[in-house]
Amino acid sequence: MPIHNADIAAIFEEIANLLEIQGANLFRVRAYRNAARTVGDLGRDIKTLLEKGEDLTNLPGIGEDLAGKIKEIVDTGKCSMLDKLHKELPPAITELLKIPNLGPKRVKTLYHDLDIQTLEQLYRAARDGRIRELPGFGAKTEQNILQAVEIHAGATKRFKLAVAAQYASALVNYLKKVKGTDQVIVAGSFRRMRETVGDLDILVTAAPASPVMERFTAYDEVKDVLSSGATRSSVILKSGLQVDLRLVGRESFGAALQYFTGSKTHNIAIRRLGQERGLKINEYGVFKGDKRIAGETEESVYKTVGLPYIPPELREDRGEIEAARAGRLPHLIELHDLKGDLHLHTKATDGRNTIKDMALAARERGYEYIAITEHSRRLTVAHGLDPQRLLKQIDEIDRLNAELSGITVLKGIEVDILEDGGLDLPDSVLERLDLVIGAVHSKFDLPRARQTERILRAMDHPHFTMLAHPTGRLLEQREPYDVDMLRIIRKARKRGCYLELNAHPERLDLLDSHCQMAKEEGVLVSINSDAHNTLDLDNLRYGIGQARRGWLERQDVLNTRTLKELRPLLKRTM
Ligand code: DGT
Ligand code: CA
Ligand code: CA
């Protein structure tokens, strides 16, 4: 990736902004802003200067420290100082800075005075008229902010993976039936199993006379045809989902699949490796001069840059290329590694099927155990269980286990974590269960320190086994609550408990980055369906996708254990 002066300037500008929001020393802020200007306005290419061995400290406002950072950016494309700031501030702060009218000063005020950290919070505050009261704002600015957020939100409308999957599989089936089609595969963020996708990118290989391009634009779910050609077309489906289709030659299929799977940053890094070897890599193949040396398969493309095949879920330029080079790619978990599912609901609360229905559906899918984990009494909307009803369910499960073979039903609960970190049911009942999943279902807006403390206290409880949907976010609906996930993960390690990766398509919670964090800290993750009916068990595949994006292997996941291995792990020893 060629690093331009503008890229370096942008990084310094962002550092200055984030430092200012943090309330850092103004001289320091100014130093980065000045450096951004110096580099941005420089008539000569910084990278070339460095290659020539010129001393950057000769430039105005650039000392040893900044010169070192420039070198780091040119060499690696990244800046560890910026990465550090991103970790220290809420991740969405950078989004706020993208709203026109909002510079660092205003974002700082919004963050400190109104605790606004996300676009959604910004939108609500503007709508409720809380922003006009702030110094330096006013009604007009508030109105502008409201509009800007609306435009920004509209421009980034994305589809949940599970929703996109429905449109994708119908369309793929349709295209496969067209005469002459050979391979039909969805690439892009969909193949990387991102939790949401912006559009679908479909690749097709076909016999020369195949009418696939005409049939694509004639698909009856198509609302608008944005463009249509002999090898590429784009349409909008009635649902609003955009689909790009590309027809590629068989000899280029691997190269095209690699290119259109992305991510863009991964591709850029791979292309750069090619350049270092004098190769040109694009969607048609890998070329040495005019000669194509690879492209039929993805493996062949990676091989030309000295790498093994990298699974799509890892292709985000988050260390996978370095790991591949060092022969340290993880053996990612697969759906068939799961031996059971530890979070299910039934008719007793807000689910739709009986315990027996759920057990039989799980057995049919090859699982060895399930855990029934209803809501607790606090959650009245879900008809949560009080001690009496839970005890009754325990008896029912005992009877069912005596009757069923080939599947074991474990007794659990998804108990509310109260505001003070207490649990919503008494110990005398919790101790009768095989596992206790604690969940936050209220008071989402506690400040970070209090929310974290609340969860840590719940984990201290002797019967606590697992933290449900750890960030509480609902995709495209509710932002995560603000917690210190590293502290929670370290606590889980210390207390011998686990984190859930909730596979419900609206949740996919743990986030992929937290999966990596849990793995590094040695905390097992449990991939649970949170099924409310038998079909929901199939959502585990999205949980697997998310886990793979988080680099998890079979041994990192609790419910890859057999029942015999699992039982002692559910016993709290600390
Ligand atoms: P999305 O649709 O926003 O969820 O994300 P993607 O990753 O599917 O992105 P999309 O649909 O814009 O493009 C599909 C893939 O095509 C992308 O992952 C990588 C590749 N691609 C697109 N534009 C570029 C580009 O400018 N350079 C390179 N190297 N690859 C690109
Ligand atoms: Ca896409
Ligand atoms: Ca696309």
Side-chain angles (χ1 to χ4, degrees):
M1 171 173 57
I3 295 281
H4 300 292
N5 293 4
D7 304 324
I8 303 169
I11 288 177
F12 285 168
E13 189 66 37
E14 196 179 353
I15 290 178
N17 287 340
L18 295 179
L19 283 174
E20 187 168 348
I21 293 167
Q22 268 191 342
N25 180 317
L26 277 180
F27 286 107
R28 217 169 142 223
V29 174
R30 208 167 299 143
Y32 281 99
R33 244 192 258 299
N34 288 341
R37 198 163 324 119
T38 302
V39 175
D41 294 347
L42 198 66
R44 284 165 306 159
D45 183 35
I46 288 253
K47 192 165 172 241
T48 318
L49 289 182
L50 272 174
E51 281 161 3
K52 282 198 196 138
E54 291 217 18
D55 186 359
L56 296 184
T57 59
N58 292 333
L59 297 172
I62 306 291
E64 289 292 348
D65 178 54
L66 284 165
K69 290 205 167 66
I70 292 174
K71 188 163 172 353
E72 184 199 2
I73 297 167
V74 170
D75 288 346
T76 68
K78 290 180 194 149
C79 176
S80 46
M81 161 99 182
L82 181 59
D83 292 350
K84 185 166 156 278
L85 285 169
H86 278 153
K87 286 200 186 104
E88 289 171 353
L89 286 161
I93 285 277
T94 316
E95 285 304 301
L96 296 184
L97 285 165
K98 289 186 192 150
I99 299 294
N101 301 313
L102 289 190
K105 261 197 200 65
R106 281 185 168 158
V107 170
K108 182 181 172 188
T109 308
L110 291 166
Y111 178 42
H112 286 281
D113 293 3
L114 294 182
D115 199 33
I116 289 173
Q117 310 183 359
T118 67
L119 284 175
E120 208 206 345
Q121 291 167 342
L122 178 66
Y123 183 80
R124 265 189 263 136
R127 196 194 49 197
D128 300 347
R130 282 184 283 137
I131 288 179
R132 64 182 73 186
E133 322 272 344
L134 295 172
F137 283 79
K140 182 140 176 37
T141 311
E142 190 180 68
Q143 194 54 39
N144 289 341
I145 290 174
L146 202 56
Q147 261 175 20
V149 177
E150 269 165 0
I151 291 165
H152 192 85
T156 58
K157 163 104 185 92
R158 298 179 66 84
F159 284 74
K160 291 181 199 93
L161 182 61
V163 174
Q166 294 168 15
Y167 300 115
S169 74
L171 181 50
V172 166
N173 286 337
Y174 167 84
L175 291 171
K176 279 188 171 159
K177 286 196 197 113
V178 175
K179 197 160 168 280
T181 56
D182 181 11
Q183 308 241 34
V184 180
I185 185 164
V186 188
S189 52
F190 183 84
R191 184 163 178 247
R192 303 198 312 280
M193 299 290 279
R194 266 195 69 177
E195 55 204 25
T196 61
V197 304
D199 67 4
L200 293 176
D201 307 279
I202 301 187
L203 290 187
V204 174
T205 57
S210 171
V212 63
M213 298 309 285
E214 297 88 66
R215 296 293 299 280
F216 171 60
T217 48
Y219 183 50
D220 65 5
E221 279 293 304
V222 168
K223 189 175 74 181
D224 290 315
V225 177
L226 300 177
S227 67
S228 70
T231 58
R232 53 189 295 178
S233 299
S234 288
V235 303
I236 305 270
L237 301 181
K238 287 173 186 160
S239 58
L241 180 62
Q242 180 174 331
V243 186
D244 298 340
L245 184 86
R246 281 180 179 80
L247 181 61
V248 301
R250 287 190 180 124
E251 69 293 347
S252 300
F253 180 70
L257 184 56
Q258 199 282 327
Y259 182 92
F260 291 110
T261 296
S263 68
K264 194 167 157 182
T265 50
H266 172 89
N267 287 355
I268 288 169
I270 294 293
R271 249 196 346 251
R272 183 155 58 165
L273 288 182
Q275 280 158 5
E276 285 167 12
R277 289 167 165 75
L279 302 173
K280 201 171 120 206
I281 301 178
N282 57 31
E283 61 266 51
Y284 303 104
V286 181
F287 298 88
K288 189 168 214 152
D290 288 338
K291 190 163 168 267
R292 180 209 306 273
I293 61 164
E296 205 168 325
T297 63
E298 286 191 301
E299 283 86 349
S300 75
V301 174
Y302 284 107
K303 197 158 173 242
T304 61
V305 291
L307 296 179
Y309 175 80
I310 299 177
E313 295 91 338
L314 296 183
R315 300 183 196 169
E316 299 288 349
D317 194 21
R318 292 193 288 211
E320 73 279 7
I321 293 171
E322 293 78 0
R325 191 183 296 131
R328 278 190 288 100
L329 278 178
H331 297 283
L332 297 179
I333 182 167
E334 297 183 36
L335 184 58
H336 64 74
D337 290 326
L338 295 184
K339 296 282 195 296
D341 186 343
L342 295 175
H343 184 161
L344 283 78
H345 297 270
T346 75
K347 277 170 91 151
T349 57
D350 58 347
R352 231 179 308 142
N353 295 94
T354 62
I355 303 176
K356 188 171 177 180
D357 293 338
M358 299 304 273
L360 294 180
R363 188 175 72 182
E364 198 177 293
R365 286 164 176 76
Y367 296 117
E368 200 190 323
Y369 53 84
I370 57 169
I372 301 299
T373 55
E374 308 282 18
H375 294 292
S376 63
R377 57 189 168 188
R378 228 330 267 258
L379 212 59
T380 46
V381 287
H383 198 40
L385 299 186
D386 57 21
Q388 222 179 351
R389 288 172 63 215
L390 179 54
L391 290 172
K392 220 177 117 229
Q393 189 180 64
I394 289 175
D395 289 340
E396 191 187 342
I397 292 175
D398 282 336
R399 280 196 303 276
L400 189 62
N401 276 330
E403 172 195 330
L404 288 177
S405 64
I407 184 100
T408 299
V409 182
L410 298 171
K411 296 161 224 163
I413 188 80
E414 180 183 3
V415 65
D416 263 45
I417 297 176
L418 307 177
E419 190 181 348
D420 65 358
L423 302 181
D424 184 31
L425 287 170
D427 281 3
S428 56
V429 187
L430 295 180
E431 72 184 8
R432 307 249 332 245
L433 299 169
D434 296 306
L435 78 160
V436 172
I437 305 184
V440 170
H441 288 131
S442 60
K443 299 273 175 195
F444 297 112
D445 52 2
L446 291 184
R448 183 181 178 89
R450 273 179 62 201
Q451 194 70 278
T452 306
E453 242 5 271
R454 171 192 191 182
I455 294 173
L456 296 182
R457 280 205 52 204
M459 293 170 104
D460 268 329
H461 200 283
H463 298 299
F464 190 102
T465 324
M466 187 186 300
L467 179 62
H469 40 72
T471 78
R473 65 102 178 256
L474 292 178
L475 283 167
E476 312 281 293
Q477 271 181 70
R478 187 170 73 211
E479 295 287 329
Y481 41 71
D482 193 13
V483 286
D484 186 337
M485 196 56 72
L486 185 58
R487 279 187 70 199
I488 289 175
I489 288 172
R490 292 201 165 140
K491 182 75 165 191
R493 167 89 199 143
K494 198 163 144 235
R495 304 288 305 161
C497 44
Y498 310 100
L499 296 194
E500 170 176 87
L501 193 178
N502 189 301
H504 194 284
E506 310 245 298
R507 292 193 180 271
L508 291 175
D509 179 11
L510 275 191
L511 314 193
D512 48 12
S513 53
H514 295 147
C515 288
Q516 263 181 307
M517 211 186 258
K519 177 184 175 130
E520 273 162 31
E521 298 290 328
V523 171
L524 297 187
V525 170
S526 184
I527 304 176
N528 300 339
S529 70
D530 197 356
H532 285 67
N533 61 63
T534 53
L535 291 179
D536 279 353
L537 291 171
D538 295 326
N539 288 333
L540 284 170
R541 69 188 176 108
Y542 300 111
I544 291 287
Q546 178 93 337
R548 288 168 64 88
R549 290 179 58 79
W551 292 54
L552 295 190
E553 304 180 89
R554 191 175 154 213
Q555 68 266 23
D556 304 318
V557 174
L558 179 67
N559 49 329
T560 60
R561 309 302 197 260
T562 62
L563 182 60
K564 191 154 168 268
E565 294 165 333
L566 178 74
R567 282 205 189 271
L569 293 173
L570 295 179
K571 291 262 171 326
R572 283 286 293 269
T573 50
M574 288 167 275

